[in-house]
Amino acid sequence: MKVCLIGAGRIGQLHARTLAADPHTSELVVADADAERARVLADKVGARHAAVDEALGTADALVIAAATDAHAQLVRRGLERRVPTFCEKPLARELDETLELVSLVEDSGVPLQVGFQRRFDAGYAEARRLVASGELGVLYCVRLASHDPEPPHEAYIPTSGGLFRDLSIHDFDIIRWLTGAEVEEVYADGAVRNFEVFARYDDIDTAVATLRMSDGSLAVLTAARHDPPGCDVRAELFGSRDSISVGLGPRTPLRSVDPGVDLPPGPAWTNFLVRFEDAYRAELSAFLRVAQGELPSPCTARDGLQAMRTAVAATRSFRDHRPVKVAEVS
Ligand SMILES: NC(=O)c1ccc[n+]([C@@H]2O[C@H](COP(=O)([O-])OP(=O)(O)OC[C@H]3O[C@@H](n4cnc5c(N)ncnc54)[C@H](O)[C@@H]3O)[C@@H](O)[C@H]2O)c1
């Protein structure tokens, strides 16, 4: 297949390597609003570079890894050509755009996959299995953490949609996937604790939220743009039969200060690209099979919408200082 990758930034560079190496790809074309960036990346992975219009015009499969505020129009253009499309999270920056895309995707029947790569991580998959099989028993509560080691570059911040839509949206998706339940209500708070640059864009660098799920279980999450020991993405699930953790191991960037406890013993995950390298590969290899018609989308536009609705509810909760029902957000 001729695969078109749009976006040659942080995540686009990793996706380019994966796509170039996949046997489903006969030709990879890289495009970016910054033509030089596309050229450098294409040369690095042995791909061709082209302008966005040209790359889109010949694609059999489209991978969108451009800045978030470009997603909606690029997805629409892919749909116009009926090209199976992978779009990085979030599906669009705004809720109304997301709703419109879900209708367009569902009416068109064109396969679309949203880039929530935690669904392809071995630890999260095992946690999901343990919940579904009943081995965890009654699920009492879940703790989620998404901490980036370093804030993104400044130009990323105003295009991102803000902390809840950009970072916590991973947690809002994975909690649904892990539990099979929907988020019913969110109570969120946040602050600029250390990086005034976020305040400049009406954004925050640190947040917490509690979630009430449709099965009665509870969840709590933390989000941070700065965690100097490394990339800390974890989930802890507590049930009536067992308690389990995803992301706790020798590379967890969290140090125990208890006497005689030597944790962590190894070098920490340095960033999200390292933490989820295998998962990013697996999600794109699944997408190329989706594009070939071999698999249904493992993360649909409607999944993207549900996570976005929770992110919008969290933002509203933080701004209004009150719990917000996801049903309010439509
Ligand atoms: N799944 C994940 O874990 C994960 C991790 C990081 C980023 N992302 C998502 O991937 C996207 C890119 O993030 P990034 O960190 O690589 O950002 P980045 O700023 O490093 O790169 C974005 C690239 O998009 C290009 N671009 C912007 N508008 C464009 C347009 N209209 N057409 C073509 N190119 C355009 C920019 O020139 C830049 O090269 C974001 O939507 C982000 O939310 C997902």
Side-chain angles (χ1 to χ4, degrees), residues 42-56:
D43 288 353
K44 207 180 277 176
V45 300
R48 197 161 70 76
H49 64 96
V52 171
D53 286 350
E54 185 197 334
L56 262 170

Side-chain angles (χ1 to χ4, degrees), residues 9-11 32-33 37 66-68 71 88-89 117 153 156 280:
R10 295 182 304 173
I11 197 82
D32 193 288
R37 191 175 283 178
T68 294
H71 290 185
E88 263 305 340
K89 50 52 63 175
Q117 84 285 353
H153 57 87
Y156 183 93
Y280 289 125

